[in-house]
Amino acid sequence: MNKLKTLMTAALAASLSVTAFTAQARDFRLGLITPQSHIWTQEAQGFADDLAERSDGEHSVSIFPAQQLGTEAQMVQQLQAGSLDMAFLTIAEISNRIPDFGALYAPFLVEDIDQAAALLRSDTAAGLLEQMPARTGLVGVGYGMAGMRQILSREPIESAEDLSGLKVRITPFDPIRDFYAAAGAAPTPLPLPAVYDALANGQVDAIDMDYDSIRLLKFYEQADNLVVSNHMIFPMVAVVSGRVWAQLDEADRELIRASMAEHADNVMARFQEHHAAWGEDLRQQDITVTEIDPAFFAEAVEKWEGVWAPKAPSLAKLRETAAELAD
């Protein structure tokens, strides 16, 4: 009897051990709005491969690009509910919930893409991530970006007055909407997959976009006037559902945090590396290129600051940090 009891105890222990291991193994789901060919999606797949390797196959990640799981707003809701595990999100959707993140979209916060990357890697920017769990139910593990914002238009833009009344496609969030409204334009939110046709049929007159997306998605085929302004950073944040995070042990949290942050940072590094070449590639197309400086948007920037300085208390510290990085 004792021998049987010992065998049963051993079997039960082994069974519990296997169950515990199985419970820890996860196939995570990661959503994005970018197409398969985009750098964000490529690095998301890199993270999936890396996590599988580092966990010795215990964990896997299924990637859902191109809004397969819905808009970013819908994905945030899924993350909050725990039905989606992870995402690479624009800061746009986060700033809609935490206005302080809108400070990262301050017009002419930085001079170029290298300063932008340095700012996103700073302790000041990292401090913003600490607000996310309590206020969104998400855990932010690191930043990426989508380059600097430019303006591509169907008709030439030679002065700030030329923006008056123009329907400018934007990502749907308040900081960029307020910037174009201050410039006299008509900001028009549209999902990325709808932009090409919207330009083709005149639904929008211009778009706010980075070099890579303009080049990759061939938007210049429908709008042949490029205003090189570098007027805003367009940050990305790699996030994990807070509900999912709470289910993970500390070792898995650190494994995911390290790998995910590394691949988000790879996104920044790749945009830094290719930014100049992509700009030159666009200049080789049959388009008109106009370069402007911050003075072009001086009035709009002043109006934007008046709205956002009270709403985004981190703005002053971010500008201070950016200035230090420029020196």
Side-chain angles (χ1 to χ4, degrees):
M1 179 66 74
N2 287 339
K3 185 176 181 180
L4 178 60
K5 184 177 180 180
T6 300
L7 288 172
M8 290 177 64
T9 301
L12 178 60
S15 173
L16 289 172
S17 176
V18 170
T19 301
F21 182 85
T22 303
Q24 291 175 2
R26 296 285 296 263
D27 178 20
F28 298 105
R29 300 165 75 244
L30 188 154
L32 311 95
I33 62 169
T34 51
Q36 189 72 45
S37 56
H38 196 274
I39 286 176
W40 289 15
T41 311
Q42 292 172 12
E43 287 298 333
Q45 187 59 58
F47 160 64
D49 296 341
D50 193 31
L51 185 64
E53 181 179 348
R54 294 189 189 187
S55 67
D56 294 325
E58 181 180 346
H59 298 313
S60 59
V61 182
S62 297
I63 307 299
F64 296 88
Q67 296 192 155
Q68 290 180 30
L69 302 180
T71 64
E72 286 201 330
Q74 291 168 329
M75 284 193 282
V76 167
Q77 292 174 348
Q78 294 166 32
L79 288 160
Q80 291 171 330
S83 56
L84 177 61
D85 303 297
M86 304 166 172
F88 281 3
L89 299 173
T90 67
I91 293 292
E93 194 54 46
I94 303 302
S95 71
N96 287 340
R97 291 164 168 78
I98 309 176
D100 204 14
F101 273 87
L104 289 170
Y105 291 105
F108 303 102
L109 177 60
V110 297
E111 295 179 5
D112 56 39
I113 195 164
D114 291 330
Q115 190 183 1
L119 182 62
L120 291 173
R121 291 176 178 133
S122 71
D123 291 342
T124 304
L128 283 169
L129 297 178
E130 296 175 6
Q131 300 183 42
M132 290 183 62
R135 301 186 63 181
T136 65
L138 310 180
V139 177
V141 302
Y143 291 107
M145 69 159 69
M148 304 295 291
R149 305 308 276 182
Q150 323 295 345
I151 302 170
L152 187 74
S153 61
R154 288 157 54 94
E155 299 295 331
I157 296 174
E158 297 174 348
S159 69
E161 288 72 27
D162 289 335
L163 282 165
S164 181
L166 280 192
K167 293 175 289 184
V168 181
R169 180 269 173 183
I170 63 165
T171 307
F173 68 111
D174 292 345
I176 198 165
R177 181 204 65 197
D178 290 346
F179 173 71
Y180 279 105
T188 306
L190 277 177
L192 190 62
V195 171
Y196 189 94
D197 289 342
L199 279 172
N201 62 31
Q203 184 182 350
V204 295
D205 304 305
I207 61 174
D208 178 274
M209 197 70 62
D210 62 276
Y211 282 156
D212 184 42
S213 295
I214 293 171
R215 179 189 62 90
L216 187 66
L217 301 175
K218 300 185 183 302
F219 293 138
Y220 57 81
E221 293 179 345
Q222 301 300 333
D224 58 2
N225 297 276
L226 176 65
V227 177
V228 177
S229 55
N230 292 312
H231 58 274
M232 277 184 189
I233 309 173
F234 200 78
M236 173 267 276
V237 62
V239 303
V240 180
S241 161
R243 289 180 179 269
V244 172
W245 193 256
Q247 299 167 8
L248 301 172
D249 62 30
E250 194 56 43
D252 279 343
R253 288 180 183 178
E254 185 52 38
L255 182 64
I256 290 168
R257 187 193 301 276
S259 181
M260 203 175 195
E262 178 182 320
H263 286 277
D265 193 79
N266 285 351
V267 169
M268 279 200 287
R270 291 176 67 181
F271 272 97
Q272 284 179 270
E273 179 183 358
H274 297 293
H275 180 79
W278 289 335
E280 186 56 35
D281 183 42
L282 287 173
R283 286 175 171 84
Q284 300 306 311
Q285 306 303 320
D286 186 20
I287 63 175
T288 300
V289 179
T290 303
E291 303 211 20
I292 66 168
D293 61 23
F296 186 95
F297 280 115
E299 186 176 342
V301 171
E302 184 178 356
K303 290 179 181 178
W304 190 94
E305 291 274 342
V307 172
W308 279 92
K311 293 167 64 171
S314 292
L315 179 56
K317 181 61 176 176
L318 282 167
R319 285 208 180 277
E320 180 183 327
T321 301
E324 291 170 356
L325 292 168
D327 291 340

